[in-house]
Amino acid sequence: MSQRLRYSLIALAALLLCGVVVALFLHNYERGSEDITLPAYGEPTYNPLFALRETIRRDGGKAESRRQLDLPAMRLQPGDTVLMLDDPRLLTPSQVNGLLDWVEFGGHLVLRAQAPDEDLDAEGNGLLQRLGVVGHDGFAQCLTWQVPGQESHQEFCGGNRFTLDGTTRVEHRWGDSSGDKTTAWARLRYGAGRVDVLGDMDFLLNGAGPGDTGLRDLPHRDLARLVLAPNYGKGTFHLIYAMEMPSLWKTVIKRGWPIWLPLLLALLAWLWARSQRFGALLPSPREERRSLLEHVRASGELLHRYGKTPLLYDAVRQSFLARLRRRSPMAAALTGEAQVQAIADHLQWPISRVQSAMQVPPSRDDTALRERIRLLIQMRNQL
């Protein structure tokens, strides 16, 4: 078999194998489509009422989103609607009075009931308390919401419950059937306006996925339309989604970690690179094994061994001259023969003996070195 024929058979077998694999794949799999909800980006990441605002706008209404309640900037009109997502107990007394005055003349206010809190409920003059809404910390039961043509829905399963003390007239009420008079949704009449109090607002939010559909679910849109019905199509919807500002440090830690974490690692690496490295511990220095006299003697022997005897003589001579300057300054100030004569007169020594002591000995003459050092020491001691 030629080489060309062999290569042709190998190529044919490879093509046949590929054909079998493709046929099996097409036989066992078919093309299909799947809808995947992409993660939110931009404004929906921090505004949970973004979907509600856009839905109202597409329906021909006017809607605005605000982080905080700002009554002077909002300029509320009798046909407007204000929906507050956060705790209404965070409002100031002036804001509470402003909202109630506006509702009394035809406004529609939508609030979320809160669980009882001793600190926040201590004042007794909050917005919910003035409306006769009392928080309840009991167990919440799911309420069935049925839309024609749709599957049955369970709403208000995880929210708060509240009771009404009767100070405000109730227009609609939807609550548990357990007989404890707890309410999940109530519409109260206040003057010419209305106040809706909800135990939960999950059906009004954007939704985070398959388990939290939010306004993407048709029954939720119908329920939202029912809640917003009093002034729907009349005025502006003001959607307040963050009464309480988030902590700066919490935001930095939660959202800014892609920046501060690499910077922190780089800082630690730089500190590690610049830090001083210590080796093994050094042993303690040994205690001195020689006395001072032994050190002096060893130093003198070293200088003598290397022919540095004039240094030894000069050290003794300088010691003598230092004492001479203290005992006889006039003799120390002289030089040459005059100084020798003055020293001889002061010590009452022969001048020849003083001259011998003051002359530098030869570097290799040990006898002369010892003799002159001896004379200098005697002269020093007699001063």
Side-chain angles (χ1 to χ4, degrees), residues 56 61-64 74-77 79-82 102 108 231 233-239:
I56 295 174
K62 185 178 180 181
E64 297 179 357
M74 293 163 62
R75 298 181 180 180
L76 298 176
Q77 301 299 321
D80 291 348
T81 300
V82 174
W102 161 72
H108 181 208
N231 285 347
K234 297 180 181 180
T236 302
F237 285 84
H238 301 273
L239 309 178

Side-chain angles (χ1 to χ4, degrees), residues 89-112:
R89 293 174 296 189
L90 301 175
L91 297 174
T92 62
S94 61
Q95 290 176 328
V96 172
N97 294 330
L99 285 175
L100 292 180
D101 292 342
W102 161 72
V103 172
E104 190 174 4
F105 287 95
H108 181 208
L109 180 62
V110 182
L111 304 173
R112 181 163 62 177

Side-chain angles (χ1 to χ4, degrees), residues 119-364:
D119 296 332
L120 296 176
D121 296 334
E123 296 183 1
N125 198 29
L127 180 58
L128 293 176
Q129 293 169 329
R130 292 181 61 176
L131 293 172
V133 178
V134 181
H136 184 73
D137 55 1
F139 179 75
Q141 298 180 2
C142 294
L143 302 180
T144 302
W145 174 249
Q146 181 65 55
V147 176
Q150 298 290 325
E151 296 182 359
S152 177
H153 264 245
Q154 301 295 323
E155 305 295 343
F156 300 102
C157 294
N160 300 313
R161 292 295 186 266
F162 58 93
T163 58
L164 303 172
D165 61 4
T167 57
T168 307
R169 184 162 63 92
V170 181
E171 187 173 287
H172 295 293
R173 178 184 177 276
W174 190 17
D176 299 335
S177 59
S178 57
D180 57 359
K181 297 183 180 181
T182 57
T183 304
W185 171 31
R187 176 168 294 166
L188 310 176
R189 289 299 302 265
Y190 192 87
R194 294 172 176 82
V195 179
D196 280 45
V197 182
L198 304 173
D200 193 4
M201 289 188 178
D202 289 347
F203 63 94
L204 295 172
L205 306 183
N206 299 334
D212 183 13
T213 55
L215 280 178
R216 288 194 295 268
D217 203 349
L218 179 59
H220 287 173
R221 292 199 293 270
D222 287 346
L223 182 58
R225 180 65 176 80
L226 181 62
V227 171
L228 303 177
N231 285 347
Y232 200 87
K234 297 180 181 180
T236 302
F237 285 84
H238 301 273
L239 309 178
I240 314 300
Y241 61 88
M243 287 294 298
E244 186 177 7
M245 293 293 292
S247 171
L248 175 62
W249 291 111
K250 183 178 180 180
T251 304
V252 170
I253 294 175
K254 184 177 180 180
R255 296 182 178 272
W257 67 266
I259 297 177
W260 61 258
L261 183 59
L263 293 178
L264 178 61
L265 295 177
L267 177 61
L268 294 177
W270 179 80
L271 291 176
W272 178 81
R274 300 292 298 177
S275 62
Q276 183 178 1
R277 288 164 174 76
F278 299 96
L281 293 176
L282 296 176
S284 300
R286 295 180 299 175
E287 297 181 357
E288 300 296 340
R289 297 180 299 172
R290 296 179 182 271
S291 63
L292 179 60
L293 181 59
E294 289 176 327
H295 279 284
V296 173
R297 183 177 299 170
S299 300
E301 292 177 354
L302 179 64
L303 293 175
H304 180 266
R305 185 181 303 119
Y306 288 95
K308 302 295 183 179
T309 52
L311 295 177
L312 298 175
Y313 168 80
D314 186 66
V316 180
R317 187 173 183 272
Q318 292 299 327
S319 177
F320 165 73
L321 293 177
R323 178 169 290 190
L324 180 65
R325 283 191 292 270
R326 293 194 300 270
R327 302 295 173 83
S328 181
M330 294 183 61
L334 300 175
T335 59
E337 293 296 331
Q339 185 183 51
V340 173
Q341 183 65 44
I343 294 173
D345 294 341
H346 184 78
L347 297 176
Q348 297 181 359
W349 276 25
I351 190 172
S352 59
R353 193 176 183 186
V354 176
Q355 287 178 343
S356 176
M358 297 297 291
Q359 291 179 356
V360 180
S363 59
R364 296 298 179 181

Side-chain angles (χ1 to χ4, degrees), residues 5-113:
L5 181 59
R6 185 184 302 110
Y7 287 158
S8 299
L9 292 176
I10 293 175
L12 182 61
L15 291 175
L16 182 61
L17 180 61
C18 292
V20 172
V21 172
V22 171
L24 290 175
F25 179 81
L26 295 177
H27 181 267
N28 295 322
Y29 297 93
E30 61 180 6
R31 184 185 298 272
S33 61
E34 180 181 359
D35 294 334
I36 299 176
T37 302
L38 297 177
Y41 62 92
E43 186 178 354
T45 59
Y46 62 85
N47 181 7
L49 298 175
F50 174 81
L52 178 61
R53 186 192 69 188
E54 296 303 312
T55 301
I56 295 174
R57 288 179 177 178
R58 292 187 180 184
D59 202 22
K62 185 178 180 181
E64 297 179 357
S65 296
R66 293 181 180 272
R67 182 180 293 275
Q68 292 182 315
L69 183 67
D70 188 357
L71 294 178
M74 293 163 62
R75 298 181 180 180
L76 298 176
Q77 301 299 321
D80 291 348
T81 300
V82 174
L83 188 149
M84 293 175 51
L85 189 61
D86 275 352
D87 193 343
R89 293 174 296 189
L90 301 175
L91 297 174
T92 62
S94 61
Q95 290 176 328
V96 172
N97 294 330
L99 285 175
L100 292 180
D101 292 342
W102 161 72
V103 172
E104 190 174 4
F105 287 95
H108 181 208
L109 180 62
V110 182
L111 304 173
R112 181 163 62 177

